[in-house]
Amino acid sequence: MLLRFPSPVQHKAIKVKTMSKLLNTRITELLGCRYPVIQTAMGWVADPQLVAGTGNAGGFGFLAGATIPPAQMEADILKVKSLTEANFGVNFHMYQPNAAEIVDLVIKHKVKAVSYSRSPGKDMVAKLKDAGVVCMPTIGLPKHAVKAVEMGADAVTVQGGEGGGHTGSVPTTLLLPQVVDAVGAQVPVLGAGGFKDGRGLIAAMAFGADGIAMGTRFLLTKESPVPEATKQRYLDCKNPADIIVSQALDGIQQRMILNRFLAELERAGNLKKLVIALRNGLAFRKFTGASIFGLLKSAIAMSKDGDLTPAQAIMSANAPMIIQKAMVDGRPDDGVLPSGQVAGVIDKLLSCEELISGLVAEAEAQLQRLQAQGK
């Protein structure tokens, strides 16, 4: 939806009570939610309580399915259904070993949508679409958006460089209009990276987006399961410049808060990185069942197949467990803290209801201000 503000003559015919109708976009119609506000699926964070809280507040939430086994995924789907009547989605990686099982669970329980990234399979997308599941990949370049739509995507989320976790280099303000121009006439486009409030929603819609997706802002809500010590570490980050892009974890650009663990990785040479990787890999062997020999063997194979060093390969395999240190165990300096730069300008925890209702009220106030200027 390309947001076009009324002319001075048209403005006189618009009443305040109809303002919220401008927030009904193609994405709200596609997903069946009240507001074009999407909660992204952050590993260890997007649990049933957060997803249900988002849905009950009028947004649309995605369960994180890339870091848990299928049995837990099914339990989480059922838990969300017990907490809300709102539609919701499931996120997973098309390349994860249990992807086919996740797809079957989504279809079995009539989950409204899936989000995914990295190398989607045509057969899997086709299976989901045949079952009426909305497919919403996250992309980082216009060419990826075009490919995703060609493969059957019903909507795309485009994340700019301000976004947390794996991210690109182009800011949302430049990338979003490019993607809108490339595929916006065919499917709804959502902007992600740098959003936290109603002003951001209106800005995204002015660029031609149909809504926004937020991760870090939902991480910092009362429903988020992240331990208080870790939430406080995010709130204490007052400078967006301290939320850096690093390749030290797994060789791929990720935006994270610069903490003790990340600083150690940034300073380390290749040998020390290998030692750190092995140390963390062995610490989490109860999840992987890997021995030191097995870790080294896998690392050598992965590094031969791609551009990763053995240390990066081990870290990549264990990254979800390293993130778990902060996000589950409440030890923010001993793991990594994926974060959008927007954390540097968030100073309080809100409930999902407070966040979304406040965001909508601010968006409508901004629309009124802009329309008043056209008098």
Side-chain angles (χ1 to χ4, degrees):
M1 169 186 171
L2 181 59
L3 184 65
R4 295 182 175 87
F5 296 112
S7 68
V9 173
Q10 292 172 319
H11 171 265
K12 295 179 181 178
I14 296 179
K15 297 181 180 179
V16 172
K17 67 180 181 180
T18 67
M19 289 289 182
S20 60
K21 291 183 179 179
L22 294 175
L23 299 184
N24 294 332
T25 71
R26 290 184 298 175
I27 201 65
T28 58
E29 294 175 3
L30 184 65
L31 298 177
C33 52
R34 293 202 305 274
Y35 306 120
V37 178
I38 310 301
Q39 164 251 304
T40 63
M42 301 156 280
W44 308 115
V45 179
D47 73 347
Q49 294 288 343
L50 180 58
V51 172
T54 301
N56 287 333
F60 189 93
F62 279 97
L63 273 172
T67 55
I68 58 177
Q72 183 61 50
M73 183 79 264
E74 184 165 33
D76 283 357
I77 289 172
L78 293 173
K79 181 65 174 176
V80 176
K81 285 179 172 288
S82 74
L83 295 172
T84 183
E85 294 182 357
N87 290 332
F88 65 96
V90 165
N91 169 267
F92 67 103
H93 296 312
M94 290 286 188
Y95 60 83
Q96 68 190 67
N98 58 15
E101 295 175 80
I102 299 295
V103 168
D104 288 341
L105 287 174
V106 165
I107 295 172
K108 173 184 175 182
H109 293 289
K110 295 180 172 56
V111 174
K112 184 66 175 179
V114 294
S115 63
Y116 52 87
S117 62
R118 297 191 191 181
S119 305
K122 285 186 177 180
D123 292 343
M124 202 170 282
V125 172
K127 183 175 181 178
L128 287 161
K129 288 178 65 67
D130 287 346
V133 180
V134 176
C135 294
M136 294 177 55
T138 298
I139 53 89
L141 290 172
K143 64 180 181 180
H144 295 160
V146 171
K147 181 180 177 181
V149 172
E150 289 175 349
M151 295 178 71
D154 299 296
V156 295
T157 299
V158 51
Q159 178 175 306
E162 304 93 324
H166 290 110
T167 195
S169 303
V170 182
T172 304
T173 52
L174 299 179
L175 187 59
L176 180 55
Q178 287 184 301
V179 174
V180 168
D181 289 345
V183 300
Q186 300 164 266
V187 299
V189 176
L190 295 163
F195 297 108
K196 71 179 183 70
D197 55 25
R199 291 180 297 179
L201 174 58
I202 296 305
M205 293 175 70
F207 277 125
D210 292 87
I212 56 174
M214 302 186 296
T216 303
R217 177 62 272 197
F218 277 105
L219 184 155
L220 294 172
T221 58
K222 295 174 182 177
E223 288 89 343
S224 165
V226 173
E228 293 304 311
T230 301
K231 286 181 180 178
Q232 191 58 51
R233 181 66 180 83
Y234 278 80
L235 293 174
D236 289 343
C237 186
K238 301 302 183 184
N239 184 359
D242 289 337
I243 306 171
I244 67 169
V245 172
S246 171
Q247 294 182 338
L249 183 62
D250 60 7
I252 305 172
Q253 285 192 167
Q254 292 197 58
R255 188 173 291 284
M256 299 172 279
I257 292 174
L258 184 60
N259 64 351
R260 183 176 63 199
F261 180 80
L262 182 56
E264 182 182 5
L265 278 182
E266 286 285 332
R267 292 192 301 267
N270 288 335
L271 180 59
K272 187 173 182 181
K273 284 181 179 178
L274 181 57
V275 171
I276 294 171
L278 287 169
R279 183 181 70 204
N280 281 280
L282 291 174
F284 298 116
R285 64 186 180 274
K286 65 180 179 179
F287 294 98
T288 64
S291 64
I292 188 167
F293 175 75
L295 284 170
L296 286 171
K297 184 178 179 181
S298 297
I300 291 170
M302 289 176 69
S303 59
K304 283 182 178 179
D305 290 339
D307 297 326
L308 300 183
T309 66
Q312 290 169 336
I314 295 173
M315 294 292 276
S316 179
N318 289 284
M321 302 308 166
I322 297 170
I323 294 171
Q324 186 190 45
K325 286 251 188 181
M327 298 302 173
V328 178
D329 298 343
R331 297 157 59 187
D333 277 327
D334 295 330
V336 295
L337 298 164
S339 177
Q341 284 187 294
V342 74
V345 290
I346 295 174
D347 58 6
K348 66 174 65 174
L349 299 178
L350 302 173
S351 68
C352 289
E353 174 62 35
E354 291 169 333
L355 171 60
I356 293 179
S357 63
L359 184 152
V360 170
E362 184 178 32
E364 294 184 342
Q366 290 299 313
L367 285 173
Q368 291 182 53
R369 182 182 64 82
L370 290 167
Q371 291 169 350
Q373 292 176 351
K375 288 182 178 180

